[in-house]
PDB file of all heavy atoms in Angstrom:
ATOM      1  N   SER A 371      -9.315   0.264 -17.725  1.00 86.00           N
ATOM      2  CA  SER A 371      -9.317  -0.200 -16.282  1.00 86.00           C
ATOM      3  C   SER A 371      -7.954  -0.342 -15.678  1.00 86.00           C
ATOM      4  O   SER A 371      -7.826  -0.277 -14.467  1.00 86.00           O
ATOM      5  CB  SER A 371     -10.031  -1.560 -16.287  1.00 86.00           C
ATOM      6  OG  SER A 371     -11.330  -1.482 -16.791  1.00 86.00           O
ATOM      7  N   MET A 372      -6.882  -0.491 -16.437  1.00 89.00           N
ATOM      8  CA  MET A 372      -5.541  -0.509 -15.915  1.00 89.00           C
ATOM      9  C   MET A 372      -5.224   0.844 -15.301  1.00 89.00           C
ATOM     10  O   MET A 372      -4.554   0.956 -14.232  1.00 89.00           O
ATOM     11  CB  MET A 372      -4.534  -0.818 -17.001  1.00 89.00           C
ATOM     12  CG  MET A 372      -4.590  -2.207 -17.535  1.00 89.00           C
ATOM     13  SD  MET A 372      -3.417  -2.455 -18.932  1.00 89.00           S
ATOM     14  CE  MET A 372      -3.919  -4.101 -19.510  1.00 89.00           C
ATOM     15  N   GLN A 373      -5.755   1.910 -15.871  1.00 86.00           N
ATOM     16  CA  GLN A 373      -5.604   3.242 -15.291  1.00 86.00           C
ATOM     17  C   GLN A 373      -6.152   3.269 -13.828  1.00 86.00           C
ATOM     18  O   GLN A 373      -5.636   3.988 -12.933  1.00 86.00           O
ATOM     19  CB  GLN A 373      -6.285   4.227 -16.199  1.00 86.00           C
ATOM     20  CG  GLN A 373      -6.451   5.591 -15.688  1.00 86.00           C
ATOM     21  CD  GLN A 373      -7.222   6.560 -16.582  1.00 86.00           C
ATOM     22  OE1 GLN A 373      -6.941   6.580 -17.769  1.00 86.00           O
ATOM     23  NE2 GLN A 373      -8.267   7.092 -16.068  1.00 86.00           N
ATOM     24  N   ASN A 374      -7.303   2.641 -13.622  1.00 82.00           N
ATOM     25  CA  ASN A 374      -7.993   2.652 -12.483  1.00 82.00           C
ATOM     26  C   ASN A 374      -7.169   1.880 -11.307  1.00 82.00           C
ATOM     27  O   ASN A 374      -7.122   2.234 -10.111  1.00 82.00           O
ATOM     28  CB  ASN A 374      -9.395   2.103 -12.492  1.00 82.00           C
ATOM     29  CG  ASN A 374     -10.241   2.969 -13.395  1.00 82.00           C
ATOM     30  OD1 ASN A 374     -10.114   4.153 -13.547  1.00 82.00           O
ATOM     31  ND2 ASN A 374     -11.200   2.280 -14.094  1.00 82.00           N
ATOM     32  N   VAL A 375      -6.587   0.780 -11.779  1.00 84.00           N
ATOM     33  CA  VAL A 375      -5.694  -0.037 -10.878  1.00 84.00           C
ATOM     34  C   VAL A 375      -4.481   0.861 -10.432  1.00 84.00           C
ATOM     35  O   VAL A 375      -4.055   0.826  -9.248  1.00 84.00           O
ATOM     36  CB  VAL A 375      -5.314  -1.296 -11.539  1.00 84.00           C
ATOM     37  CG1 VAL A 375      -4.278  -1.984 -10.703  1.00 84.00           C
ATOM     38  CG2 VAL A 375      -6.460  -2.191 -11.897  1.00 84.00           C
ATOM     39  N   LEU A 376      -3.954   1.623 -11.408  1.00 85.00           N
ATOM     40  CA  LEU A 376      -2.857   2.545 -11.135  1.00 85.00           C
ATOM     41  C   LEU A 376      -3.158   3.547 -10.080  1.00 85.00           C
ATOM     42  O   LEU A 376      -2.439   3.750  -9.071  1.00 85.00           O
ATOM     43  CB  LEU A 376      -2.395   3.181 -12.408  1.00 85.00           C
ATOM     44  CG  LEU A 376      -1.455   4.424 -12.279  1.00 85.00           C
ATOM     45  CD1 LEU A 376      -0.102   4.001 -11.696  1.00 85.00           C
ATOM     46  CD2 LEU A 376      -1.274   5.202 -13.552  1.00 85.00           C
ATOM     47  N   ILE A 377      -4.357   4.071 -10.140  1.00 82.00           N
ATOM     48  CA  ILE A 377      -4.775   5.173  -9.185  1.00 82.00           C
ATOM     49  C   ILE A 377      -5.008   4.559  -7.824  1.00 82.00           C
ATOM     50  O   ILE A 377      -4.693   5.080  -6.736  1.00 82.00           O
ATOM     51  CB  ILE A 377      -6.053   5.849  -9.698  1.00 82.00           C
ATOM     52  CG1 ILE A 377      -5.673   6.689 -10.957  1.00 82.00           C
ATOM     53  CG2 ILE A 377      -6.690   6.777  -8.674  1.00 82.00           C
ATOM     54  CD1 ILE A 377      -6.886   7.251 -11.688  1.00 82.00           C
ATOM     55  N   GLY A 378      -5.739   3.378  -7.809  1.00 77.00           N
ATOM     56  CA  GLY A 378      -6.078   2.708  -6.527  1.00 77.00           C
ATOM     57  C   GLY A 378      -6.852   3.605  -5.689  1.00 77.00           C
ATOM     58  O   GLY A 378      -7.928   4.062  -6.021  1.00 77.00           O
ATOM     59  N   GLU A 379      -6.303   3.869  -4.423  1.00 73.00           N
ATOM     60  CA  GLU A 379      -6.908   4.713  -3.466  1.00 73.00           C
ATOM     61  C   GLU A 379      -6.227   6.133  -3.392  1.00 73.00           C
ATOM     62  O   GLU A 379      -6.569   6.870  -2.493  1.00 73.00           O
ATOM     63  CB  GLU A 379      -6.915   4.030  -2.137  1.00 73.00           C
ATOM     64  CG  GLU A 379      -7.693   2.824  -2.105  1.00 73.00           C
ATOM     65  CD  GLU A 379      -7.733   2.190  -0.650  1.00 73.00           C
ATOM     66  OE1 GLU A 379      -7.561   2.852   0.331  1.00 73.00           O
ATOM     67  OE2 GLU A 379      -8.057   1.026  -0.558  1.00 73.00           O
ATOM     68  N   ASP A 380      -5.349   6.371  -4.393  1.00 72.00           N
ATOM     69  CA  ASP A 380      -4.748   7.735  -4.360  1.00 72.00           C
ATOM     70  C   ASP A 380      -5.614   8.695  -5.151  1.00 72.00           C
ATOM     71  O   ASP A 380      -5.375   9.151  -6.246  1.00 72.00           O
ATOM     72  CB  ASP A 380      -3.312   7.627  -5.091  1.00 72.00           C
ATOM     73  CG  ASP A 380      -2.393   6.764  -4.385  1.00 72.00           C
ATOM     74  OD1 ASP A 380      -2.445   6.784  -3.117  1.00 72.00           O
ATOM     75  OD2 ASP A 380      -1.620   6.006  -4.986  1.00 72.00           O
ATOM     76  N   LEU A 381      -6.710   9.031  -4.436  1.00 71.00           N
ATOM     77  CA  LEU A 381      -7.756   9.742  -5.083  1.00 71.00           C
ATOM     78  C   LEU A 381      -7.551  11.195  -5.427  1.00 71.00           C
ATOM     79  O   LEU A 381      -8.082  11.811  -6.385  1.00 71.00           O
ATOM     80  CB  LEU A 381      -9.070   9.566  -4.239  1.00 71.00           C
ATOM     81  CG  LEU A 381      -9.493   8.197  -3.892  1.00 71.00           C
ATOM     82  CD1 LEU A 381     -10.772   8.207  -3.047  1.00 71.00           C
ATOM     83  CD2 LEU A 381      -9.728   7.334  -5.167  1.00 71.00           C
ATOM     84  N   ASN A 382      -6.700  11.844  -4.683  1.00 76.00           N
ATOM     85  CA  ASN A 382      -6.434  13.240  -4.890  1.00 76.00           C
ATOM     86  C   ASN A 382      -5.489  13.483  -6.142  1.00 76.00           C
ATOM     87  O   ASN A 382      -5.089  14.678  -6.298  1.00 76.00           O
ATOM     88  CB  ASN A 382      -5.829  13.870  -3.695  1.00 76.00           C
ATOM     89  CG  ASN A 382      -6.824  14.089  -2.561  1.00 76.00           C
ATOM     90  OD1 ASN A 382      -8.020  14.170  -2.859  1.00 76.00           O
ATOM     91  ND2 ASN A 382      -6.427  14.085  -1.370  1.00 76.00           N
ATOM     92  N   GLY A 383      -5.237  12.539  -6.922  1.00 76.00           N
ATOM     93  CA  GLY A 383      -4.486  12.650  -8.138  1.00 76.00           C
ATOM     94  C   GLY A 383      -5.107  12.039  -9.273  1.00 76.00           C
ATOM     95  O   GLY A 383      -4.526  11.898 -10.341  1.00 76.00           O
ATOM     96  N   CYS A 384      -6.373  11.550  -9.112  1.00 79.00           N
ATOM     97  CA  CYS A 384      -7.063  10.719 -10.119  1.00 79.00           C
ATOM     98  C   CYS A 384      -7.262  11.620 -11.408  1.00 79.00           C
ATOM     99  O   CYS A 384      -7.082  11.026 -12.576  1.00 79.00           O
ATOM    100  CB  CYS A 384      -8.348  10.130  -9.641  1.00 79.00           C
ATOM    101  SG  CYS A 384      -9.592  11.323  -9.094  1.00 79.00           S
ATOM    102  N   ALA A 385      -7.670  12.788 -11.332  1.00 80.00           N
ATOM    103  CA  ALA A 385      -7.956  13.615 -12.424  1.00 80.00           C
ATOM    104  C   ALA A 385      -6.626  13.960 -13.241  1.00 80.00           C
ATOM    105  O   ALA A 385      -6.668  13.997 -14.533  1.00 80.00           O
ATOM    106  CB  ALA A 385      -8.697  14.916 -12.109  1.00 80.00           C
TER     107      ALA A 385
END
Side-chain angles (χ1 to χ4, degrees):
S371 296
M372 292 175 188
Q373 169 185 308
N374 300 327
V375 175
L376 167 66
I377 293 171
E379 297 183 21
D380 296 323
L381 304 179
N382 286 334
C384 61

